[in-house]
Amino acid sequence: MQPQAFYRVIADDFSAVDGIIRKQLTSRVPLVETIGDYIISAGGKRLRPLLVLLCGNALGRCDDRMRLLAAAIEFLHTSTLLHDDVVDDSDLRRGRSTSNALWGNAPSVLVGDFLYARCFEMLVELASMPVMRIMSQATRVIAEGEVLQLSKVRDASTTEETYMEVIRGKTAMLFEAASHGAAVLAGASTEQAEALRRFGDSLGIAFQLVDDLLDYRGDAETLGKNVGDDLAEGKPTLPLIYTMREGTPEQAALVRRAIQKGGIEDLAAIVAAVEAAGALDYTARLAREHAERAVTCLDTLPPGEYRDALIELSRFAVARTH
């Protein structure tokens, strides 16, 4: 199954979600619509609403309420992107200037807040307390993950365990909320809902591991962001943590200094070090393990094109180049 096939099997639903997103972006304040439309229109894979629609269809239910949940998930994700770009002082995302680079930090943060609020207005329309609980807890965990990551910036003593806690919060949690929320909204059995919760968690971890791998093995044009961004910000991601732990004393010292001072002056040397230490292969292997763990969680779903799409999506997540 080619990547576009993930979307083709739910093309009508996906189009309907896009319409909901456009409608919900309306505001009496023009700048809110301008910035909101700019970031929503920036492209991206929209994997989180895709997960909602695929899980809903796999369970035999994808109605207007499921599509509304998919749109709400995308609003929540987009709001975190706006806030992340301000926190990270990023100037490039998906190959375009970030909103904070164009309009400044204050408008970007406030429009992010608007999108958060709109997300929960949509969730209120669903009138499902279990789904509201999933989404509100996810929002809290995502914020905690971002703050934990921020607290570890330029901390060369960060462990792999702490790193996994960071990515489980800041990335995997929203994947989990998408698949788990869809299962609960669809009236899935307890076994299916728990399996899809674990599926989202494992898929999200795999996805973030590949993102962190590509920060050293990708290129700016393909990635749509600057290579070495994490290093420039002093973020101790897994390739760097592994190199400090398993590399030669010289490689470990090089990486440690780079994390502590930030910047990309030694980027070429760092890329060579993480490659030579086997850190990128280790990160890729761990991503594949989590992707396969995600696939096994789908055994509770009935066979069919939607389950097949979820399986192939899991494998595509770790085979991608951007």
Side-chain angles (χ1 to χ4, degrees), residues 190-231:
T190 301
E191 180 188 14
Q192 287 175 323
E194 173 59 18
L196 283 176
R197 185 195 67 75
R198 289 185 285 106
F199 166 78
D201 175 64
S202 294
L203 179 61
I205 291 172
F207 187 85
Q208 186 60 54
L209 284 167
V210 172
D211 258 12
D212 292 343
L213 163 71
L214 291 175
D215 203 46
Y216 298 96
R217 202 175 258 176
D219 63 84
E221 185 176 352
T222 303
L223 292 178
K225 67 173 186 175
N226 297 316
V227 175
D229 268 357
D230 291 339
L231 180 64

Coordinates of all heavy atoms in Angstrom, one line a residue, residues 190-231:
T190 N -14.0 -2.9 25.6 CA -12.9 -2.5 26.5 C -11.5 -3.0 25.9 O -10.5 -2.3 25.9 CB -13.1 -3.1 27.9 OG1 -14.3 -2.6 28.4 CG2 -12.0 -2.7 28.8
E191 N -11.5 -4.3 25.4 CA -10.3 -4.9 24.9 C -9.8 -4.1 23.6 O -8.6 -3.8 23.5 CB -10.5 -6.3 24.5 CG -9.3 -7.0 23.9 CD -9.6 -8.4 23.4 OE1 -10.8 -8.7 23.2 OE2 -8.7 -9.2 23.1
Q192 N -10.7 -3.8 22.7 CA -10.4 -3.0 21.5 C -9.9 -1.6 21.9 O -8.9 -1.1 21.3 CB -11.5 -3.0 20.6 CG -11.9 -4.3 19.9 CD -13.1 -4.2 19.0 OE1 -14.1 -3.5 19.4 NE2 -13.1 -4.8 17.9
A193 N -10.6 -1.0 22.8 CA -10.2 0.4 23.2 C -8.8 0.4 23.8 O -8.0 1.3 23.5 CB -11.2 1.0 24.1
E194 N -8.5 -0.5 24.6 CA -7.2 -0.6 25.3 C -6.1 -0.9 24.2 O -5.0 -0.3 24.2 CB -7.2 -1.6 26.4 CG -5.8 -1.9 27.0 CD -5.1 -0.7 27.6 OE1 -5.8 0.4 27.8 OE2 -3.9 -0.7 27.8
A195 N -6.4 -1.8 23.3 CA -5.5 -2.2 22.2 C -5.2 -1.0 21.4 O -4.0 -0.7 21.0 CB -6.0 -3.3 21.4
L196 N -6.2 -0.2 21.0 CA -6.0 1.0 20.2 C -5.3 2.1 20.9 O -4.5 2.9 20.3 CB -7.3 1.5 19.6 CG -7.8 0.6 18.4 CD1 -9.1 1.1 17.9 CD2 -6.8 0.6 17.2
R197 N -5.5 2.2 22.2 CA -4.7 3.1 23.0 C -3.2 2.8 23.0 O -2.4 3.7 22.7 CB -5.2 3.1 24.5 CG -4.5 4.2 25.4 CD -4.7 3.9 26.9 NE -4.0 2.7 27.3 CZ -2.7 2.6 27.5 NH1 -1.9 3.7 27.3 NH2 -2.1 1.5 27.9
R198 N -2.9 1.5 23.2 CA -1.5 1.1 23.1 C -0.9 1.2 21.7 O 0.3 1.6 21.5 CB -1.3 -0.4 23.6 CG -1.6 -0.5 25.1 CD -1.3 -1.9 25.6 NE -2.4 -2.8 25.2 CZ -2.3 -3.8 24.3 NH1 -1.2 -3.9 23.6 NH2 -3.3 -4.6 24.1
F199 N -1.8 1.0 20.7 CA -1.4 1.2 19.3 C -0.9 2.6 19.1 O 0.2 2.9 18.5 CB -2.5 0.9 18.4 CG -2.3 1.3 16.9 CD1 -1.5 0.6 16.1 CD2 -2.9 2.5 16.5 CE1 -1.3 1.1 14.8 CE2 -2.7 2.9 15.2 CZ -1.9 2.2 14.3
G200 N -1.7 3.6 19.5 CA -1.3 5.0 19.3 C -0.1 5.4 20.0 O 0.8 6.1 19.5
D201 N 0.1 4.9 21.2 CA 1.3 5.1 22.0 C 2.6 4.6 21.3 O 3.5 5.3 21.1 CB 1.2 4.5 23.4 CG 2.5 4.6 24.2 OD1 2.8 5.8 24.5 OD2 3.1 3.6 24.5
S202 N 2.5 3.4 20.8 CA 3.7 2.8 20.2 C 4.0 3.5 18.8 O 5.1 3.7 18.5 CB 3.4 1.3 19.9 OG 3.4 0.6 21.2
L203 N 2.9 3.8 18.1 CA 3.1 4.4 16.8 C 3.7 5.8 17.0 O 4.6 6.2 16.3 CB 1.8 4.5 16.0 CG 1.8 5.2 14.7 CD1 2.7 4.5 13.7 CD2 0.4 5.4 14.1
G204 N 3.2 6.5 18.0 CA 3.7 7.9 18.2 C 5.2 7.9 18.6 O 6.0 8.7 18.2
I205 N 5.6 6.9 19.5 CA 7.0 6.8 19.8 C 7.8 6.5 18.6 O 8.9 7.1 18.4 CB 7.2 5.7 20.9 CG1 6.5 6.1 22.2 CG2 8.6 5.3 21.1 CD1 6.5 5.0 23.3
A206 N 7.4 5.5 17.8 CA 8.1 5.2 16.6 C 8.3 6.4 15.7 O 9.4 6.7 15.1 CB 7.4 4.1 15.8
F207 N 7.2 7.2 15.5 CA 7.2 8.4 14.7 C 8.3 9.4 15.2 O 9.0 10.0 14.4 CB 5.8 9.0 14.7 CG 5.7 10.1 13.7 CD1 5.4 9.9 12.4 CD2 5.8 11.4 14.1 CE1 5.3 10.9 11.4 CE2 5.7 12.5 13.2 CZ 5.4 12.2 11.9
Q208 N 8.3 9.7 16.5 CA 9.2 10.6 17.1 C 10.7 10.2 17.0 O 11.6 11.0 16.8 CB 8.8 11.0 18.5 CG 9.7 12.1 19.1 CD 9.5 13.4 18.3 OE1 8.4 13.9 18.1 NE2 10.7 14.0 17.9
L209 N 10.9 8.9 17.2 CA 12.2 8.3 17.1 C 12.8 8.6 15.7 O 13.9 9.0 15.5 CB 12.2 6.8 17.4 CG 12.1 6.4 18.8 CD1 11.8 5.0 19.0 CD2 13.4 6.8 19.6
V210 N 11.9 8.4 14.7 CA 12.4 8.6 13.3 C 12.6 10.1 13.1 O 13.6 10.5 12.4 CB 11.3 8.1 12.3 CG1 11.7 8.5 10.8 CG2 11.3 6.6 12.4
D211 N 11.8 11.0 13.6 CA 12.0 12.4 13.5 C 13.4 12.8 14.1 O 14.1 13.6 13.5 CB 10.9 13.2 14.3 CG 9.8 13.8 13.4 OD1 9.8 13.4 12.2 OD2 9.1 14.6 13.9
D212 N 13.7 12.2 15.2 CA 15.0 12.6 15.9 C 16.2 11.9 15.1 O 17.3 12.5 15.1 CB 15.0 12.1 17.3 CG 14.0 12.9 18.2 OD1 13.6 14.0 17.7 OD2 13.7 12.4 19.3
L213 N 15.9 10.8 14.5 CA 16.9 10.2 13.6 C 17.2 11.1 12.4 O 18.3 11.4 12.0 CB 16.4 8.8 13.2 CG 17.1 8.2 12.0 CD1 18.5 7.7 12.3 CD2 16.3 6.9 11.5
L214 N 16.1 11.6 11.8 CA 16.2 12.4 10.5 C 16.9 13.7 10.8 O 17.4 14.4 9.8 CB 14.9 12.6 9.9 CG 14.2 11.3 9.3 CD1 12.8 11.6 8.8 CD2 15.1 10.8 8.2
D215 N 17.0 14.2 12.0 CA 17.6 15.4 12.4 C 19.1 15.3 12.1 O 19.8 16.3 11.9 CB 17.4 15.8 13.8 CG 17.6 17.3 14.1 OD1 17.0 18.1 13.3 OD2 18.3 17.7 15.0
Y216 N 19.6 14.1 11.9 CA 21.0 13.9 11.6 C 21.2 13.1 10.3 O 22.4 13.0 9.8 CB 21.7 13.1 12.7 CG 21.6 13.9 14.0 CD1 20.6 13.6 15.0 CD2 22.6 14.9 14.3 CE1 20.5 14.4 16.1 CE2 22.5 15.6 15.4 CZ 21.5 15.4 16.4 OH 21.4 16.1 17.5
R217 N 20.2 12.6 9.7 CA 20.3 11.8 8.5 C 19.5 12.4 7.3 O 19.5 11.8 6.2 CB 19.9 10.4 8.8 CG 20.5 9.4 7.8 CD 20.1 7.9 8.2 NE 21.2 7.2 8.9 CZ 21.2 6.0 9.4 NH1 20.0 5.4 9.4 NH2 22.2 5.5 9.9
G218 N 18.8 13.5 7.6 CA 18.0 14.1 6.5 C 18.6 15.3 5.9 O 19.8 15.6 6.1
D219 N 17.8 16.0 5.1 CA 18.3 17.3 4.5 C 17.2 18.3 4.6 O 16.0 17.9 4.7 CB 18.7 17.1 3.1 CG 17.6 16.7 2.1 OD1 16.9 17.6 1.7 OD2 17.5 15.5 1.9
A220 N 17.5 19.6 4.7 CA 16.5 20.6 5.0 C 15.4 20.6 4.0 O 14.2 20.8 4.3 CB 17.2 22.0 5.1
E221 N 15.7 20.4 2.7 CA 14.7 20.5 1.6 C 13.7 19.4 1.8 O 12.5 19.6 1.6 CB 15.4 20.4 0.2 CG 14.4 20.6 -0.9 CD 15.1 20.7 -2.3 OE1 16.3 20.7 -2.3 OE2 14.3 20.6 -3.3
T222 N 14.1 18.2 2.1 CA 13.2 17.1 2.3 C 12.4 17.2 3.6 O 11.2 16.9 3.6 CB 14.0 15.8 2.3 OG1 14.7 15.7 1.0 CG2 13.0 14.6 2.4
L223 N 13.1 17.6 4.7 CA 12.5 17.6 6.0 C 11.6 18.8 6.1 O 10.6 18.7 6.9 CB 13.6 17.8 7.1 CG 14.5 16.6 7.3 CD1 15.6 16.9 8.4 CD2 13.7 15.3 7.7
G224 N 11.8 19.9 5.5 CA 11.0 21.1 5.6 C 11.4 21.8 6.9 O 10.6 22.7 7.3
K225 N 12.5 21.5 7.5 CA 13.0 22.2 8.6 C 14.6 22.2 8.5 O 15.1 21.4 7.7 CB 12.5 21.6 9.9 CG 13.1 20.2 10.2 CD 12.7 19.8 11.6 CE 13.3 18.5 12.0 NZ 13.1 18.0 13.4
N226 N 15.2 22.9 9.4 CA 16.7 22.9 9.3 C 17.3 21.7 9.9 O 16.9 21.3 11.0 CB 17.2 24.2 10.1 CG 16.8 25.5 9.4 OD1 16.8 25.6 8.2 ND2 16.3 26.4 10.2
V227 N 18.2 21.1 9.2 CA 18.9 19.9 9.8 C 19.7 20.4 11.0 O 20.3 21.4 11.0 CB 19.8 19.3 8.7 CG1 20.6 18.1 9.4 CG2 19.0 18.7 7.6
G228 N 19.7 19.6 12.1 CA 20.5 20.0 13.2 C 19.7 20.9 14.2 O 20.3 21.4 15.1
D229 N 18.4 21.1 14.0 CA 17.7 22.0 14.8 C 17.7 21.6 16.3 O 17.9 22.4 17.2 CB 16.2 22.0 14.4 CG 15.9 23.2 13.4 OD1 16.9 23.9 13.1 OD2 14.8 23.3 12.9
D230 N 17.6 20.3 16.5 CA 17.6 19.8 17.9 C 18.9 20.1 18.6 O 19.0 20.5 19.7 CB 17.3 18.3 18.0 CG 15.9 18.0 17.6 OD1 15.0 18.9 17.7 OD2 15.6 16.8 17.2
L231 N 20.0 19.9 17.8 CA 21.3 20.1 18.4 C 21.5 21.6 18.6 O 22.1 22.0 19.7 CB 22.4 19.6 17.4 CG 23.9 19.9 17.8 CD1 24.2 19.1 19.1 CD2 24.8 19.5 16.7

